[in-house]
Amino acid sequence: MAWTTIQTKLPRDKLTSDDFNNQVRGNLAASELEVITNVYSLVGVAGSHSLQSLTYTENSASSTFTTSATSPVAIASPTISVSHAGVFMVWWSCTISITAGEISYVGPQLSGGSVPASIKRTVGTSSALSVTHTGCHLYYDIEESPKTVQLYGWTEAGGGTLTVGQRLLGAIAI
Amino acid sequence: MAWTSPNGFRFVDGDPITSAQWNTLFKDNLLASCIGVASTAGRYFTTNGKFELSERQSVRAYKHNAVTIDSEWPTDPPGEDEIGPTVTFEHSGSFLAWYQCRLRRTSGTVGYMNYAPVPEGAGDDYSVYSMAVRTARATYDTASAHMYFTGFEPGITTVTMKYGRNSGDTATGDYGRRKLIVWPL
Amino acid sequence: MATLPGAFSANEVLTAAKLNLYLDYMADLAVASANGPGQFIGINVNTKTPFLSKPKSVYVDKELILHNPTSHSKWEYVGPDIELENKKAVLCFMDARTSSTDGSGAQLTVASMYDDTNQMTMDLMNNSVDNLRGGTFGLYVADREDDKISLLMKVGPNSNFTIAQRRLTIVCLEEW
């Protein structure tokens, strides 16, 4: 429901039922007590006099992913869907190893191709020993909501095999 | 707009609501609430004080280029363009920070390389060991860490990522893809 | 539980009873709970009341060397720990400096001190002999009120693991 400007009343003004319904009840119907209905949520701003749930969502997978590709390859799971008003934070955490001497990249991509996977938004290693690597990214000016977030993995030169084990993907509009 | 607690106030029949009561208890109070304060999409609410809310904006900064560090922490990378990443934001005394980079200790040296945020005015309050991304590995890794900063004077603060080896070590290190994200509170 | 009062009928007199219902509703808005700076605002969707979410962070510097000479995994709380009080679901961030020698290494996670099977999903693992300080994150959901969480290590068979400089921070996303 759109915000209705609340009038300043003067002593001579009569206060009517319409005043209350439109300027008080109508505005309260858009309050945080009415709008925030998801668990794991904080209160955020959707726009001028408009609120949104900042709902945290996460998903995990433990199946092993491997690739030697030198351009991003989708890691089938996990994926998450983020509802937002243009800004959201994504964290991803994976156990990664790669053939010694090669360089690995694991990072998110947003659905619709608006923000593809990029080495600027990756974690990775050049070690053959499994280590947990965690990354985060704050996405701005994302127009479409919701967005699906999915991890992609690839190698620098294709001379070795990237292995991704246990992984967690989490996000919250903020 | 200031909030006036409605607790303890009761309307009684025969005593009609006045314009002053409307202005204070309904108009001003609604304007002090979340729906009244909300102005810009992509922000979140925090408390600014007793009966006071603020909209806050998360901030981020990123430096892509690789830099080599051969100094003790806290130091800046060589080249003015490579200083940071740095963010400036408004807060009411505290903030959450997440930071990550790709780093390695150059093989053949000893000790740790650190990457940690330094808020202006923090002084020696924070030990680098308690908050840094740190490595003694010769292979490149991307590592991340976080920190909850408290006890700052409310207002506008700048946080800059700093680099360097532990005091007394001989390590040198390479850093790249350097990121800093802050949620002000 | 806050209930939005009904609308007035056209030309209905603004009775005290109904006006007081509006006052009661507004007394439940988040701004009325704000008691100081630096807190996020959440809504308990079961009771339809606001809660203030102030991050909590604890740190332990001391280095621990965990040695497991057995053929089974060994679990050990290494701290630090946090009392959740009225918090039901918290977004956790944990960082630690770790390294591993021998065997299959170890995993570090967040778990209830009353029930170590109630854990955060993600582990922090370092199978390298070289130290690295980094972190991971995840949602922890308590299955009891007044829960207490801590960093929990699972050290693999015939493994040695070193941990130090560990930090645990929580942001409450749901209250009981």
Side-chain angles (χ1 to χ4, degrees):
Chain A
M1 180 174 287
W3 170 263
T4 301
T5 300
I6 310 167
Q7 296 166 334
T8 300
K9 294 294 187 183
L10 299 173
R12 66 174 181 270
D13 292 332
K14 185 172 165 46
L15 290 159
T16 67
S17 56
D18 276 352
D19 289 334
F20 251 90
N21 289 342
N22 296 330
Q23 298 176 44
V24 177
R25 188 176 194 278
N27 287 336
L28 286 175
S31 79
E32 63 275 18
L33 300 180
E34 305 301 321
V35 166
I36 312 303
T37 55
N38 298 335
V39 293
Y40 309 154
S41 297
L42 300 175
V43 182
V45 184
S48 178
H49 298 302
S50 177
L51 305 180
Q52 64 160 344
S53 287
L54 306 179
T55 302
Y56 175 77
T57 181
E58 72 176 29
N59 202 358
S60 64
S62 56
S63 54
T64 301
F65 167 85
T66 59
T67 188
S68 299
T70 56
S71 57
V73 174
I75 302 175
S77 59
T79 64
I80 52 174
S81 177
V82 189
S83 295
H84 60 90
V87 182
F88 56 93
M89 183 94 161
V90 172
W91 296 271
W92 65 103
S93 193
C94 331
T95 306
I96 302 173
S97 63
I98 191 154
T99 309
E102 178 56 270
I103 297 171
S104 62
Y105 304 113
V106 179
Q109 175 161 306
L110 304 186
S111 56
S114 58
V115 188
S118 161
I119 62 171
K120 293 182 179 180
R121 293 179 287 275
T122 57
V123 298
T125 185
S126 56
S127 169
L129 296 169
S130 287
V131 176
T132 303
H133 297 271
T134 301
C136 56
H137 190 72
L138 185 65
Y139 288 91
Y140 271 10
D141 297 328
I142 305 299
E143 292 186 355
E144 191 184 47
S145 176
K147 277 291 191 187
T148 298
V149 185
Q150 182 173 14
L151 293 175
Y152 281 62
W154 68 105
T155 73
E156 170 79 8
T161 301
L162 161 67
T163 300
V164 183
Q166 186 188 18
R167 49 202 179 273
L168 178 68
L169 190 53
I172 186 168
I174 194 66
Chain B
M1 193 61 65
W3 171 265
T4 300
S5 176
N7 289 333
F9 182 88
R10 296 281 95 178
F11 289 103
V12 294
D13 287 322
D15 208 1
I17 178 174
T18 66
S19 60
Q21 288 164 342
W22 162 276
N23 291 336
T24 300
L25 293 172
F26 294 104
K27 176 178 184 288
D28 290 351
N29 277 353
L30 266 165
L31 289 174
S33 72
C34 288
I35 191 70
V37 169
S39 74
T40 308
R43 295 183 177 181
Y44 53 95
F45 279 100
T46 63
T47 57
N48 205 37
K50 191 169 170 66
F51 300 150
E52 191 180 339
L53 305 177
S54 279
E55 271 188 341
R56 294 291 180 211
Q57 170 80 62
S58 52
V59 291
R60 69 178 186 188
Y62 177 75
K63 295 280 185 184
H64 185 76
N65 292 341
V67 294
T68 296
I69 302 295
D70 186 16
S71 302
E72 289 187 358
W73 195 87
T75 194
D76 294 316
E80 195 172 328
D81 286 348
E82 297 302 338
I83 293 175
T86 298
V87 293
T88 299
F89 51 90
E90 186 172 12
H91 62 90
S92 65
S94 60
F95 41 97
L96 284 161
W98 292 269
Y99 33 98
Q100 71 180 70
C101 68
R102 181 175 183 250
L103 78 170
R104 67 177 175 182
R105 189 187 76 188
T106 307
S107 133
T109 58
V110 174
Y112 291 90
M113 295 308 295
N114 300 292
Y115 175 73
V118 177
E120 64 180 342
D124 293 330
D125 290 349
Y126 296 95
S127 157
V128 64
Y129 306 120
S130 75
M131 57 179 183
V133 168
R134 319 180 66 215
T135 191
R137 282 160 64 88
T139 51
Y140 265 121
D141 294 290
T142 309
S144 66
H146 77 283
M147 186 66 185
Y148 174 47
F149 290 99
T150 62
F152 283 78
E153 199 59 38
I156 295 176
T157 290
T158 295
V159 176
T160 302
M161 297 307 297
K162 299 283 187 179
Y163 307 73
R165 59 175 172 254
N166 287 2
S167 175
D169 282 351
T170 60
T172 61
D174 297 326
Y175 299 75
R177 297 175 207 148
R178 305 164 274 141
K179 182 182 295 185
L180 170 62
I181 296 168
V182 171
W183 292 5
L185 282 153
Chain C
M1 180 180 295
T3 304
L4 187 63
F8 289 95
S9 306
N11 302 315
E12 181 182 348
V13 171
L14 304 177
T15 62
K18 209 154 184 177
L19 289 174
N20 288 334
L21 288 178
Y22 277 100
L23 289 185
D24 291 341
Y25 182 90
M26 292 183 68
D28 282 341
L29 293 174
V31 62
S33 300
N35 57 7
Q39 302 167 93
F40 297 106
I41 295 170
I43 302 295
N44 185 322
V45 298
N46 294 315
T47 61
K48 218 170 147 187
T49 52
F51 64 87
L52 302 177
S53 176
K54 185 169 191 150
K56 199 167 183 180
S57 189
V58 287
Y59 174 75
V60 172
D61 190 75
K62 186 179 170 61
E63 181 177 273
L64 293 176
I65 299 173
L66 300 169
H67 175 56
N68 181 12
T70 74
S71 59
H72 309 287
S73 291
K74 176 178 156 185
W75 295 85
E76 192 160 335
Y77 283 103
V78 296
D81 46 73
I82 294 181
E83 304 261 9
L84 293 191
E85 298 165 322
N86 199 37
K87 301 173 184 61
K88 185 177 183 184
V90 291
L91 183 54
C92 299
F93 301 95
M94 62 167 179
D95 301 336
R97 192 201 87 201
T98 61
S99 65
S100 179
T101 57
D102 309 318
S104 54
Q107 294 95 50
L108 181 72
T109 190
V110 172
S112 170
M113 294 192 73
Y114 299 106
D115 172 11
D116 62 14
T117 66
N118 190 16
Q119 302 176 1
M120 205 168 79
T121 301
M122 194 66 197
D123 299 328
L124 187 68
M125 172 195 286
N126 181 3
N127 281 354
S128 161
V129 300
D130 297 312
N131 277 284
L132 178 69
R133 187 173 190 272
T136 189
F137 73 99
L139 186 72
Y140 174 85
V141 182
D143 56 16
R144 55 175 285 158
E145 293 189 51
D146 292 326
D147 199 355
K148 187 173 177 181
I149 56 174
S150 183
L151 295 193
L152 177 71
M153 292 284 322
K154 177 185 171 186
V155 186
N158 302 303
S159 298
N160 297 307
F161 196 79
T162 301
I163 183 168
Q165 296 155 10
R166 45 208 188 276
R167 176 177 296 282
L168 175 60
T169 299
I170 61 169
V171 176
C172 181
L173 297 181
E174 190 183 350
E175 283 197 341
W176 285 98

